Amino acid sequence: MADGDIKSEELGQIRIERPFYEDKQLRQDFCYEKPIKQNVAQKCSQEFRLSKFLVGVIPVVGWLPKYNWKNDLVKDIISGVTVAIMHIPQGMAYAMLGNVPAVVGIYMAFFPVLIYFILGTSRHNSMGTFSVACLMTGKAVLQYSDPGYFASSSIDTPSNSTEMEITGYSPIQVATAVTFIVSLFQVAMYVLRLGVISALLSETLVSGFTTGAAIHVLISQVKDLFGLNIPKSKGNFSNIYTIIAVFGELVNTNVAALVVSIVTITISAINNDHFKPLFAKVSPFPFPMELLAVVVGTVVSKYCYLEETYGVQTVGDIPVGLPDPTVPQFSLLPNLIVDGITISIVSYTINLSMALIFAQKLNYEVDANQELLAMGLSNVFGSFFSCMPVCASLSRSLIQQVVGGVSQLASIVSCLILLVILLWVGPFFEPLPRAVLAGVIVVALKGMLLQVLEFWKFWKLSKVDALVWMGTFLTVVLINIDIGLLCGVVLSLAAILFLSFKPHTCLLGHVPNTDFYLDIARYKAAKEVEGIKIFHYSGGINFATKSIFKSDLIRLIGINPQKEVVYRAKLAKYLGKADDQLHKSANLTGKLEKVQGKVNTKLRCLILDFSSVSHIDPSGVSMLKSVVENFTKLDIPVYIASCKEPVYEMLTKVYPDFVTKLGFRSFPTVYDAVHYSTELFLSSSNSTISTVRL
């Protein structure tokens, strides 16, 4: 019979025997030695071996020589072609969110992707445009671009353009400056190994933030859906101003643009909900409805003269060829620091989240810090070629994986196809109605908008998380995206702080015929050991929580040692009176009975279960020393059980004589502590201490 085939009834016959241990003896017998931390020079010597350095910093050097060209190349070609088809409508649509020409979205799917192919560790992330990152960039573009450039292009003019300062910067110059400063932050985060900073953006925060950003995107597209000529609002509360302006201009709705929007949304939605699942059963490739909508919309607009006859706004000029490399406007960088920080963190977090999803699903590794370098240098390169900050798209990445993509070679195939678009096909899309792109964006937002239902999931799981979600969502929607992100981070940190002030405490009881000690409030089979209180504390003990530890301990065991000392002193005083005085004084007799009712004579030992104590600081040690001293004065020994090594080391580091002077003892398990206390009590009652067998 295999080791894993032990039957449950046989488990009940297993007995484990070992000697009785205290922590001090355990450390001696099993050769405990504190790990030696490596110095900076040793770490660097290990990190920067040439072969390890090349594979770590340039991952393509590691995986490309092992690539299975025979079996995987066809899969990556098919995946790359499919993703390229998606890049065209998404790139053009999301570029409009960034208040830059539509062709910028195609640039973003070409230039930065070449760098990510070399440096990225995710095999399936499809880099390029992403709605939230583009929208956040568009906010900065709107704020710092010269309004004259908006008026001379197909990009919407800001609402207060007449009052705006003449900056002399074009939207592309502002966008590339944002990209460059985002790259600086991401590279700096890589150098400082701050990949873990994404942990600050919890699932709750990201859900609330992206849902709120989706509302931003939706509201920004309303004017194109209705064909309204509404200037874009900038600054805080822009959504509110936009909604007010929309209601004021509804009478001027362009019927032709509205019809185009309705047709695009209806067909795309029906395709996603009905045709796409059916099509997936007969073909591994998704039906390119978005591209078809763009192509048909362009053809209809051109030959039905929608712009000239009905005043439908179109994409406008799309230049042929690749953009000339241009140095970003460094003079703009000081003004874009806040935008750069928020965009770099948001885009990195979303990118890493998607990378980890695919890595876990397909069983390969993703390096969080390497992703920072890959994104940072991709953005550096992109900033010289008219690109906004790049990020992975969930829809494109999912398609890249579903249709069989194996590696980032799929992205290179996609880049080659987009190169053809940029060199020859681009001008074909100039008559494309903006209403079509708005419809594509709205349909693509469905998944993000449905995240609003996650609020109820968080509400059921944790009220604190639900408040973080709602606070982030409302701030993003009502005020602004960057303020919403800051609010979400602050709320998340406040939630962590709040929860740290609510450590779990309970009393443990023994389950008969086992070595289990469980919460007596939750397990009815667990019974308190006579004369022993076992206090369980879960969390860290520090300057902020030490008072909580002490108050919960006193509340649960029912003894305040400082008051107990006073009660016992009074009891000794009253008992010292002559018996005849007691009989003569009814008042003295009443006092004696009252004090005797307060004095606890049943507790002979207190055990502190530290199995869930993660950390203790010097303030916590001082508090613990005070607790031990106070109970020792009452002849109640205090033992610690299941103390983690770092906690034990801190105890002995702060007070080296903790054991010798206070009689403090530490045991590897609660079972050892209870049996030591029991045998010691029996020994004091003329019994002998025997070896404890488990």
Side-chain angles (χ1 to χ4, degrees), residues 678-690:
T678 303
E679 296 296 334
L680 188 64
F681 176 73
L682 294 175
S683 174
S684 65
S685 304
N686 298 322
S687 298
T688 58
I689 299 180
S690 59

Side-chain angles (χ1 to χ4, degrees), residues 130-132 198-216 346 349-350 353 394 445-459 461 465-477 481 484-485 488-489 492:
F130 181 68
S131 57
V132 176
S198 62
L200 288 177
L201 304 186
S202 63
E203 178 189 359
T204 310
L205 188 154
V206 171
S207 175
F209 176 79
T210 53
T211 307
I215 300 293
H216 260 278
V346 169
T349 302
I350 293 171
S353 299
L394 179 58
L445 286 175
K446 178 183 176 182
M448 294 176 65
L449 292 172
L450 288 178
Q451 288 180 160
V452 73
L453 300 176
E454 292 187 358
F455 171 75
W456 303 110
K457 179 190 77 172
F458 291 121
W459 181 262
L461 295 176
D465 281 347
L467 291 176
V468 172
W469 191 99
M470 186 56 70
T472 305
F473 172 78
L474 291 178
T475 311
V476 169
V477 172
I481 289 182
L485 178 63
V489 171
S492 294

Side-chain angles (χ1 to χ4, degrees), residues 219 233 236-246 477-479:
I219 292 175
S233 299
N236 297 334
F237 309 103
S238 59
N239 278 345
I240 297 175
Y241 296 139
T242 300
I243 292 173
I244 294 173
V246 166
V477 172
L478 298 178
I479 303 179

